[in-house]
Amino acid sequence: MSKNYKLEAKDVNAFYGGFHALKNINLALEEKAVTAFIGPSGCGKSTFLRLFNRMNDYIEGFRLEGKVLLDNKDIYQKSVQVDELRKAVGMVFQKPNPFPKSIFENVVYGLRIQGISKKGILEEAAESSLKQAALWNEVKDNLHKSALALSGGQQQRLCIARALAIEPSVLLMDEPASALDPISTSKIEELIYTLKDRYSIVIVTHNMQQAGRVSDYTAFFLSGELVEHAKTKALFTSPQDTRTQNYITGRFG
Amino acid sequence: MTNAQLNRFKDKAFQAFGLFCTFFGLIVLAIFLLDILKEGLARLDWDFLTSLPSRRAARAGILTAWAGTLWILVMTALIAIPLGVAAGIYLEEYGKKTRMASFLEINIANLAGVPSIIYGLLGLELFVRQLQLGGSLLAGALTLSLLVLPIIIVTTREAIKAVPKSLREASFALGASKWQTIRMQVLPAATGGIMTGIILSLSRAVGEAAPLIVIGALAYVPFVPEGPMDEFTVLPIQIFNWVSRPQEAFLINAAAAIIVLLCITFMLNGIAVYLRYRQQKKVKW
């Protein structure tokens, strides 16, 4: 192997029962870069994203063929503990899903379940992750208020802080801004821009402008196939495949 | 009559019919309550609650009966809640959705509909005879636990099912194990629903006479039970016994005992209603 990638998919096929959701996908993702997955609804981009932290494991009838590598290690091997994997690969979901607990307890949840209960450590982790998620200044005086009282955009940044608190190296984002207003969206985008210095980020998005703004690389999916993967600028300015061109110029999808 | 007029008439007619149906049950219940209160309320005093049973109606009290009911209630709760909730959690969270699982599921739902006297016969054979527990509180509580288990299992599953998937995913994605997710997210969110089911099932258990008569609970127990192996009676059996006496005075006793039993079940139902309300409103203590 000439180069070490952060995440790699090799000959990946995925099925929901009899439905062939991902078809023979090979893709390698750079470390500390933002990769965007774009494509129309149902093209398999979310399914593909959820392979990297094994969130599909819970879906009845889901089956995977091929290999998914994190730092060159197959994460679907029997010896891999799923909870360990998820400490390395954090995830932010489409709809903000804070726990019905205080802001503080939300952020430190990932640490608490690892058995960490020292107040000093938890407080430090909460502050640093909330700062990284650009939420600290808005909530620092109300850390013990319910997270459900926050606005949608704040809740989503809280979910990002919560994911960062366990210090992953990869952050998966499944349409993180699709349920938010434009101002909250731009805040999330700015955040992604600052986070890529420290994390390898994969973001699924419906919004092509967003992909163009935040990502270094873009992968275009269609009907379970990976059509094209290239530097974002290249993909949007000179797509190699006519299907990509049709999609980004808005001819379908 | 035009079509529109006819539709309006049908609408009005159904409204009237619905109103009648609503009040039908309520009125019957109200008449029953008034009748019981008129007969029994005067008999209800401190002595009645604290006296042992007697052959003379005027001296008879329900101390042993309500003490037995309380014992049965607590013991049934101690046995049925852990079993039912754990089984519900297992079936909903861990059990694979195989054909065997759906077979089990249907049977549990069916068990909830088995007449209580059948459970009494089962209890008689299994607990009273095979395990030689006799007509003890323990045998009674075990029998009633069988009776309420399916209800607790089903309501636990429903409550767990109602917890949004996003909450589970958030927990899993942060590296939580299944059990951590259940304990820290699913159960707290489902507690209101589970508690409601538990209390409603217990209030059913409190009102049961038939299965306990079958396993040999006695109508005349001249002492308050002191341990789980003691013989016992419960309010419904005491009421049943008094009602079957010919003397007027015992009927009045029965009415007074009914008031006490109704108070207990209304209280339990009240708690259940409150819990459901609190869950809907997400009111915090």
Side-chain angles (χ1 to χ4, degrees):
Chain A
M1 201 176 297
S2 56
K3 187 168 179 201
N4 285 341
Y5 291 103
K6 187 69 192 170
L7 291 166
E8 248 183 303
K10 287 186 170 172
D11 304 321
V12 162
N13 282 282
F15 305 85
Y16 294 112
F19 176 64
H20 198 165
L22 293 172
K23 294 167 191 162
N24 212 24
I25 291 181
N26 286 286
L27 181 62
L29 304 181
E30 301 276 344
E31 186 163 16
K32 298 203 171 126
V34 179
T35 305
F37 292 172
I38 60 169
S41 300
C43 68
K45 57 192 191 298
S46 283
T47 303
F48 189 62
L49 182 79
R50 292 161 65 100
L51 287 179
F52 295 121
N53 68 343
R54 297 188 53 172
M55 278 315 266
N56 292 324
D57 289 15
Y58 303 104
I59 296 168
E60 210 81 31
F62 180 80
R63 196 158 52 83
L64 174 74
E65 288 168 6
K67 278 186 181 167
V68 182
L69 309 180
L70 168 68
D71 297 324
N72 286 322
K73 272 180 244 134
D74 187 350
I75 60 171
Y76 281 83
Q77 244 162 20
K78 277 235 165 69
S79 59
V80 172
Q81 296 294 321
V82 179
D83 48 341
E84 293 296 328
L85 166 70
R86 290 183 186 145
K87 280 180 210 161
V89 184
M91 186 163 198
V92 177
F93 296 86
Q94 184 171 3
K95 265 174 72 183
N97 54 357
F99 301 123
K101 298 179 175 207
S102 71
I103 294 167
F104 180 78
E105 284 303 324
N106 262 279
V107 181
V108 302
Y109 182 80
L111 299 172
R112 278 210 195 279
I113 57 177
Q114 292 176 28
I116 299 167
S117 58
K118 270 224 181 83
K119 222 180 158 204
I121 298 176
L122 295 180
E123 280 171 353
E124 215 171 282
E127 181 172 346
S128 91
S129 358
L130 285 168
K131 276 179 176 163
Q132 283 188 69
L135 189 60
W136 176 251
N137 287 331
E138 293 159 58
V139 300
K140 63 183 174 199
D141 301 320
N142 297 315
L143 287 179
H144 296 282
K145 256 176 53 179
S146 168
L148 301 178
L150 297 173
S151 74
Q154 288 174 323
Q155 286 187 6
Q156 195 61 304
R157 277 179 284 149
L158 176 64
C159 291
I160 294 172
R162 184 172 69 181
L164 298 181
I166 49 176
E167 299 180 340
S169 58
V170 177
L171 195 58
L172 308 175
M173 304 176 113
D174 191 355
E175 300 185 36
S178 67
L180 305 179
D181 62 81
I183 292 170
S184 303
T185 301
S186 75
K187 277 189 184 160
I188 301 273
E189 288 180 8
E190 279 165 33
L191 184 54
I192 293 170
Y193 197 77
T194 62
L195 288 175
K196 75 172 175 185
D197 292 341
R198 300 182 56 178
Y199 306 92
S200 309
I201 298 175
V202 189
I203 175 171
V204 165
T205 179
H206 264 307
N207 181 329
M208 277 177 285
Q209 285 77 27
Q210 185 172 66
R213 282 192 299 263
V214 303
S215 70
D216 304 306
Y217 297 88
T218 298
F220 171 58
F221 290 81
L222 187 65
S223 317
E225 283 176 66
L226 173 62
V227 175
E228 192 164 350
H229 174 222
K231 289 215 159 170
T232 299
K233 215 177 235 165
L235 187 129
F236 278 104
T237 50
S238 52
Q240 301 298 306
D241 195 296
T242 49
R243 288 173 293 175
T244 314
Q245 178 156 23
N246 287 342
Y247 183 69
I248 61 177
T249 51
R251 241 167 268 172
F252 70 95
Chain B
M1 221 186 287
T2 66
N3 232 338
Q5 276 175 324
L6 188 67
N7 283 336
R8 276 196 291 276
F9 172 75
K10 280 182 182 165
D11 192 35
K12 284 261 156 44
F14 182 79
Q15 253 187 39
F17 177 68
L19 197 67
F20 167 77
C21 293
T22 309
F23 276 95
F24 182 78
L26 285 177
I27 286 168
V28 171
L29 188 69
I31 291 171
F32 166 73
L33 276 179
L34 281 176
D35 190 48
I36 291 291
L37 285 174
K38 199 179 76 192
E39 276 208 31
L41 205 53
R43 180 71 182 85
L44 200 60
D45 54 17
W46 190 244
D47 273 348
F48 184 69
L49 290 175
T50 56
S51 293
L52 297 172
S54 164
R55 270 182 300 163
R56 263 170 287 175
R59 278 176 49 190
I62 56 166
L63 178 61
T64 57
W66 73 254
T69 289
L70 220 60
W71 268 95
I72 282 285
L73 180 69
V74 171
M75 287 177 66
T76 305
L78 287 178
I79 297 164
I81 293 171
L83 286 177
V85 173
I89 292 170
Y90 173 79
L91 287 171
E92 198 53 44
E93 294 282 344
Y94 290 94
K96 293 238 159 64
K97 309 278 181 274
T98 57
R99 203 177 281 187
M100 186 65 194
S102 52
F103 178 74
L104 270 178
E105 205 166 302
I106 292 167
N107 276 291
I108 288 171
N110 278 340
L111 281 178
V114 171
S116 58
I117 195 152
I118 308 289
Y119 281 106
L121 290 169
L122 176 65
L124 176 66
E125 184 55 33
L126 188 62
F127 302 128
V128 177
R129 293 194 184 141
Q130 302 287 342
L131 297 177
Q132 301 190 329
L133 298 174
S136 66
L137 277 167
L138 186 57
L142 284 167
T143 305
L144 289 182
S145 294
L146 290 183
L147 180 79
V148 299
L149 258 179
I151 310 173
I152 296 181
I153 292 173
V154 170
T155 49
T156 299
R157 295 191 60 177
E158 294 300 323
I160 287 176
K161 219 180 274 182
V163 176
K165 204 176 95 196
S166 64
L167 214 56
R168 286 188 178 84
E169 284 193 326
S171 178
F172 286 139
L174 290 165
S177 68
K178 201 147 196 181
W179 173 239
Q180 283 175 321
T181 301
I182 293 170
R183 188 168 52 83
M184 297 170 79
Q185 300 302 336
V186 177
L187 284 183
T191 303
I194 295 174
M195 288 295 287
T196 307
I198 286 172
I199 290 167
L200 289 179
S201 70
L202 287 179
S203 89
R204 178 174 172 202
V206 161
E208 285 291 346
L212 296 179
I213 291 174
V214 174
I215 67 155
L218 304 170
Y220 181 77
V221 179
F223 54 84
V224 176
E226 279 166 354
M229 295 314 291
D230 286 347
E231 290 184 321
F232 69 102
T233 189
V234 289
L235 278 169
I237 296 181
Q238 183 68 71
I239 292 164
F240 171 71
N241 180 264
W242 276 338
V243 168
S244 52
R245 302 279 189 96
Q247 296 97 324
E248 171 74 24
F250 279 114
L251 294 181
I252 293 170
N253 279 1
I258 288 171
I259 295 172
V260 175
L261 182 60
L262 283 178
C263 282
I264 294 176
T265 49
F266 283 173
M267 225 155 62
L268 287 173
N269 285 322
I271 295 171
V273 169
Y274 173 70
L275 284 175
R276 203 168 345 181
Y277 167 81
R278 199 166 69 100
Q279 188 193 18
Q280 278 164 1
K281 297 265 165 178
K282 292 266 173 228
V283 185
K284 295 262 149 43
W285 283 106

